[in-house]
């Protein structure tokens, strides 16, 4: 799936949330600008930026369902993070399963965009 295809889908997904779509495009534009400064792969950054909030408007129950089905440490994740953080974990799953993302830089950037972690890659730092 190309980034143009992703943008087309996001246009539909966020049709009722124009400010979220504007946010996602702003994150993409900023990520690309920062990526140019730091010599990062701009295609990776664009994809991570476009998908980082893909599950932002899933219900708490839907986010928990995806996390429970896909993470061994699901109970720890659910207990440790509030419902506004859970979308980072479910977005990671959706990026992998629905969008076919396999690149670890992209996936790690998505999952760490809300809470960060020690020793983040340049991709994770930019999306964070």
């Amino acid at each position: 799936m190309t980034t143009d295809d992703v943008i087309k889908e996001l246009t539909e997904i966020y049709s009722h949330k124009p400010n979220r779509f504007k946010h996602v495009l702003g994150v993409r534009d900023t990520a690309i600008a920062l990526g140019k400064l730091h010599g990062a792969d701009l295609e990776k950054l664009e994809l991570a930026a476009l998908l980082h909030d893909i599950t932002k408007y899933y219900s708490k129950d839907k986010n928990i369902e995806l996390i429970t089905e896909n993470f061994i440490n699901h109970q720890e994740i659910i207990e440790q993070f509030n419902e506004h953080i859970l979308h980072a974990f479910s977005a990671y799953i959706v990026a992998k399963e629905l969008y076919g993302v396999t690149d670890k830089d992209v996936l790690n950037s998505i999952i760490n965009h809300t809470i960060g972690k020690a020793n983040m890659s340049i991709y994770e730092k930019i999306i964070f």
Side-chain angles (χ1 to χ4, degrees), residues 54-112:
I54 194 71
T55 60
K56 180 77 172 172
Y57 296 109
Y58 280 18
S59 69
K60 179 181 177 182
D61 289 341
K62 181 66 176 175
N63 281 315
I64 289 172
E65 176 185 328
L66 285 168
I67 292 165
T68 301
E69 291 173 355
N70 292 283
F71 289 93
I72 292 170
N73 63 333
H74 62 273
Q75 197 60 42
E76 179 184 328
I77 293 168
I78 294 164
E79 290 174 3
Q80 185 175 2
F81 302 108
N82 75 49
E83 66 183 276
H84 303 291
I85 301 298
L86 296 179
H87 78 279
F89 297 92
S90 59
Y92 169 93
I93 297 303
V94 168
K96 273 178 63 173
E97 293 184 359
L98 295 180
Y99 291 90
V101 177
T102 58
D103 188 282
K104 294 294 182 193
D105 288 326
V106 174
L107 293 171
N108 289 337
S109 296
I110 292 169
I111 202 168
N112 291 309

Side-chain angles (χ1 to χ4, degrees), residues 1-10 28 42-48 50:
M1 179 173 283
T2 68
T3 53
D4 287 340
D5 294 330
V6 173
I7 291 170
K8 185 177 178 180
E9 282 195 24
L10 292 177
R28 179 204 55 190
L42 303 182
E43 289 180 16
K44 289 182 182 189
L45 285 169
E46 182 175 25
L47 187 56
L50 291 172

Side-chain angles (χ1 to χ4, degrees), residues 33-45:
L34 289 170
K36 287 177 182 177
L37 290 173
H38 295 284
D41 183 320
L42 303 182
E43 289 180 16
K44 289 182 182 189
L45 285 169

